[in-house]
Amino acid sequence: MSAVTDTVRAVQPGGAIGQSVRDSLVVAKRNLIRMSRIPEMVIFGLIQPIMFVVLFTYVFGGSIDIPGAPEGSAGPYREFLMAGIFAQTVTFATAGAGAGIADDMHKGLIDRFRSLPMARGAVLTGRTLADLVQTALTLVVLAVVALLIGWRTHESMGKVLAGFGLLLLLGYAFSWIGALIGLSVRTPEAATSGGLIWLFPLTFISNAFVPVKGMPTFLQHIAEWNPFSATVAAARQLFGNTVANQPKSLTGAWPMEQPVLASILWAVLIIVVFRTLAVRKYRSATA
């Protein structure tokens, strides 16, 4: 089989990189077709973030004061909140990515892919790209809901799109963590639980939903070095949703002083580390 595989790859134009790209796109297309045939996957993925938007805006919004904003005003909190909700939405897609890969492993689909002359990492890359497309569609719908409840941006369209681009980059990076979890557990149910349990402290010990100022000092340091917080701060900056005359960081944390650059560096680091671990796990799991 190895000799046949090498022969087939040798005649493919573009070399190993071109082969890997083509294989990844084929797998991504397969997963997108599967998602389109199961629309409830997308619908249920939308319900949770919309519920968070409504609950935080109308239940908690009136009691959370944003430093520098008029006291008791819900408008500033809506603008403060939405970057956090967007970021939470893209990271919570991690659980779905892990469950999908675990399901493919459980059904033996991965073994079928392995029997084909295709790049080893293409199966995981295709899956994460398909999840990225689904996450992008979810963000579009969620942005419309946010506009309906009063969220507004105050920067150019280019910066706003860049903000959404950083959010999608974070979601793509975290999908590789989900891929590693999906390959490390035995059932899709375990992958879903394992993909969510660590996300709750990550997203709530951050600047996403409440100002860091109200946290104990040691949590302020954790929150401001949290990669999730860096992307939230970067999105707020690019959306124009920051509060004037307020310090970017309470602890002097570099990611809060340069959130755009920090969010990119965090995402690239996560992708490099967890893609390497996931592909290695994939090879050993199917060996």
Side-chain angles (χ1 to χ4, degrees):
M1 176 63 71
S2 177
V4 174
T5 299
D6 293 339
T7 301
V8 173
R9 286 183 179 173
V11 300
Q12 291 287 343
I17 295 178
Q19 177 72 21
S20 180
V21 171
R22 285 190 295 272
D23 292 344
S24 298
L25 292 177
V26 168
V27 176
K29 181 180 178 181
R30 171 258 174 189
N31 283 284
L32 288 173
I33 292 173
R34 179 173 177 266
M35 290 175 186
S36 67
R37 292 175 178 173
I38 313 176
E40 55 265 29
M41 292 175 61
V42 179
I43 294 173
F44 291 150
L46 284 171
I47 292 176
Q48 179 176 289
I50 291 175
M51 287 177 60
F52 271 110
V53 171
V54 174
L55 287 173
F56 274 91
T57 300
Y58 295 109
V59 177
F60 303 116
S63 60
I64 298 177
D65 293 324
I66 304 301
E71 186 174 353
S73 175
Y77 183 68
R78 291 192 186 102
E79 297 190 354
F80 176 88
L81 171 69
M82 285 315 305
I85 293 291
F86 291 145
Q88 184 194 51
T89 300
V90 300
T91 53
F92 270 40
T94 300
I101 291 173
D103 187 51
D104 288 344
M105 290 283 291
H106 184 69
K107 292 178 178 178
L109 185 62
I110 298 296
D111 291 331
R112 299 177 194 173
F113 281 131
R114 186 171 179 266
S115 68
L116 300 174
M118 62 188 300
R120 288 288 180 260
V123 174
L124 301 180
T125 302
R127 176 74 206 199
T128 55
L129 288 175
D131 290 330
L132 180 64
V133 172
Q134 181 180 356
T135 301
L137 294 175
T138 302
L139 276 184
V140 170
V141 176
L142 194 57
V144 172
V145 174
L147 291 171
L148 291 176
I149 66 167
W151 173 66
R152 296 293 183 268
T153 59
H154 307 284
E155 293 288 355
S156 66
M157 181 59 66
K159 287 188 175 182
V160 172
L161 292 176
F164 282 110
L166 287 180
L167 290 164
L168 290 174
L169 180 62
L170 177 71
Y172 182 70
F174 273 51
S175 69
W176 282 105
I177 301 177
L180 180 61
I181 293 172
L183 291 167
S184 302
V185 298
R186 296 183 179 181
T187 65
E189 292 78 11
T192 301
S193 299
L196 287 175
I197 192 170
W198 60 276
L199 281 173
F200 281 101
L202 183 79
T203 55
F204 282 94
I205 304 177
S206 72
N207 60 358
F209 307 115
V210 296
V212 174
K213 183 178 181 179
M215 298 180 183
T217 303
F218 77 97
L219 283 184
Q220 290 179 3
H221 286 278
I222 294 174
E224 293 198 335
W225 280 95
N226 184 344
F228 183 83
S229 294
T231 301
V232 172
R236 285 192 184 122
Q237 178 178 307
L238 292 170
F239 294 157
N241 290 158
T242 56
V243 180
N245 302 319
Q246 291 298 310
K248 292 183 177 180
S249 172
L250 296 178
T251 66
W254 178 80
M256 295 296 99
E257 298 292 341
Q258 301 291 335
V260 174
L261 178 59
S263 63
I264 294 173
L265 293 177
W266 272 122
V268 170
L269 178 62
I270 292 170
I271 291 171
V272 170
V273 172
F274 284 93
R275 187 185 188 280
T276 301
L277 294 174
V279 172
R280 184 178 301 172
K281 183 70 176 179
Y282 170 79
R283 287 173 175 170
S284 64
T286 58

